[in-house]
Amino acid sequence: MNDENNNNDLPEGMNFNLGKLNENTRAGFVALIGAPNAGKSTLLNQLVGTKVSIVTHKVQTTRAIVRGVAIEDDSQVIFVDTPGIFRPKRRLDRAMVDTAWGGAKDADVVAVLIDAKKGINESVERILNELEHIKLPKVLILNKIDITKRDQLLALAAKANEYTKFDQTFMVSAINGSGTKDILKYFAEQMPKGPWLYPEDQASDIPLRMLAAEITREKLYLRLHEELPYISTVETDKWEDKKDGSIRIEQTIFVERDSQKSIVLGKNGQTIKAISKAAREELTEAFETTIHLFVFVKVRENWSDDPERYRNMGLDFPH
């Protein structure tokens, strides 16, 4: 079998023949791991230069692997945004943590992001201890330098390096982009030589149907982050490209109890209208066309024990 057809092991949407190739090209994977709410999704969006991963106040917002593609000179750096690593309590938690560590072990470089303001808590300590078993180049990234004192940052970097030896330490503010250019330049130099793995204009490998669902889930959490459990999810049921160039999208928000459905709907349906409006506006901007969005809410008890829901989220169902 020749190389042209031997792309079965690549993630969906990736094809060696689509990428740029010359004697200087490089391409590889950087896994972003860390505790929940360390700022991985915010950092990924900064590095890629566009939104490919949703960001909310809720912990454990990222569930599946999201790949964001950044280009620096002749290098293509594929950043893998993994779910936050925490102590799993439920089946969904376990699937997310397994996905995170799987993404780390498949990368060329592992980047550990720590919220410098919080420092090394129990969750971070568990990650640092586990890193000893991963024999890959490792980079430490301290986030939120805009609200952390310098001496605190230096002490934190030294302490983290006591757990496992990092090849390099960077200090950034993911929210405003400070320090991110240095990170991208470093990773570009670390990538193995070879052809690019994605077309030059492709920022992510997340399917559009999933991206649309993720955007609606972000608006759901931003609106109801104090009232709604993160166990809720959103799925895109129908996607129709209309003759006039617009797109008709139907989605379902799944919750586990009637009381949660009432919260999502709101009085006289005002909450779901506001969520739909915010999602439609962002989808219109993202896809650069008119979006006709219809969002429904359904109760599905114990949906987090349904293997099909995991497949739709891009997760392996843990047994």
Side-chain angles (χ1 to χ4, degrees):
M1 184 180 294
N2 61 35
D3 289 340
E4 185 172 321
N5 298 314
N6 194 18
N7 291 327
N8 296 334
D9 295 331
L10 297 173
E12 180 185 353
M14 188 190 296
N15 187 311
F16 276 114
N17 304 304
L18 296 176
K20 175 180 176 181
L21 174 61
N22 63 45
E23 60 182 14
N24 298 316
T25 53
R26 295 174 178 270
F29 295 86
V30 176
L32 294 173
I33 67 170
N37 269 17
K40 297 184 303 301
S41 296
T42 304
L43 179 61
L44 176 70
N45 292 338
Q46 281 282 6
L47 292 167
V48 174
T50 189
K51 184 170 182 173
V52 295
S53 191
I54 67 172
V55 180
T56 80
H57 307 291
K58 267 196 174 318
V59 297
Q60 298 134 36
T61 298
T62 301
R63 287 178 175 166
I65 293 259
V66 176
R67 295 179 184 88
V69 185
I71 292 171
E72 178 72 11
D73 295 329
D74 283 325
S75 294
Q76 191 176 69
V77 185
I78 299 107
F79 290 98
V80 183
D81 182 20
T82 63
I85 296 172
F86 54 100
R87 191 185 296 278
K89 297 176 182 176
R90 294 167 288 201
R91 193 192 297 269
L92 177 59
D93 297 342
R94 204 158 68 246
M96 289 160 60
V97 172
D98 288 349
T99 297
W101 281 118
K105 290 167 183 172
D106 290 339
D108 295 293
V109 179
V110 177
V112 182
L113 191 65
I114 296 179
D115 181 333
K117 199 67 181 170
K118 293 179 181 177
I120 298 177
N121 55 23
E122 182 187 351
S123 297
V124 174
E125 188 172 42
R126 218 163 33 243
I127 293 168
L128 293 174
N129 285 328
E130 186 67 28
L131 278 175
E132 275 294 287
H133 307 301
I134 296 181
K135 305 305 179 186
L136 291 169
K138 293 183 274 268
V139 170
L140 175 65
I141 302 174
L142 301 183
N143 188 25
K144 302 187 181 177
I145 60 170
D146 51 321
I147 55 173
T148 312
K149 292 180 180 178
R150 181 170 174 78
D151 57 348
Q152 189 179 337
L153 290 167
L154 294 174
L156 180 56
K159 186 178 180 183
N161 272 274
E162 291 175 5
Y163 287 87
T164 187
K165 181 62 181 168
F166 290 98
D167 297 288
Q168 194 70 256
T169 297
F170 292 95
M171 301 184 185
V172 305
S173 171
I175 197 77
N176 64 30
S178 176
T180 54
K181 288 183 179 177
D182 293 335
I183 293 180
L184 189 54
K185 189 173 186 300
Y186 174 81
F187 286 133
E189 293 167 353
Q190 304 308 307
M191 295 298 96
K193 285 193 173 183
W196 285 4
L197 305 177
Y198 288 90
E200 190 168 351
D201 59 352
Q202 186 170 339
S204 175
D205 70 344
I206 184 170
L208 294 182
R209 292 172 69 106
M210 185 180 289
L211 177 60
E214 287 290 271
I215 286 173
T216 301
R217 186 163 69 94
E218 178 186 66
K219 305 313 174 192
L220 172 71
Y221 284 173
L222 288 174
R223 179 84 183 192
L224 296 170
H225 69 97
E226 294 292 344
E227 303 168 71
L228 192 69
Y230 91 101
I231 201 76
S232 55
T233 194
V234 180
E235 292 181 13
T236 298
D237 305 309
K238 292 184 180 178
W239 180 293
E240 182 185 355
D241 293 304
K242 310 287 283 185
K243 290 182 180 179
D244 62 1
S246 65
I247 304 172
R248 188 183 195 279
I249 302 172
E250 291 184 16
Q251 296 177 331
T252 301
I253 297 173
F254 288 105
V255 294
E256 292 199 308
R257 293 190 293 278
D258 284 318
S259 59
Q260 295 168 1
K261 180 178 180 180
S262 299
I263 291 171
V264 175
L265 291 173
K267 187 176 181 180
N268 299 322
Q270 291 305 306
T271 302
I272 189 66
K273 285 178 184 175
I275 292 166
S276 300
K277 180 175 183 288
R280 182 170 59 253
E281 287 174 352
E282 183 157 331
L283 287 167
T284 296
E285 185 177 340
F287 299 148
E288 298 180 340
T289 189
T290 301
I291 301 294
H292 308 285
L293 179 64
F294 301 88
V295 182
F296 307 93
V297 187
K298 291 183 181 178
V299 176
R300 179 167 287 169
E301 292 183 11
N302 302 318
W303 72 259
S304 56
D305 293 326
D306 181 356
E308 186 179 349
R309 304 276 79 78
Y310 285 72
R311 283 194 295 273
N312 289 333
M313 288 187 284
L315 294 170
D316 290 328
F317 184 72
H319 295 284

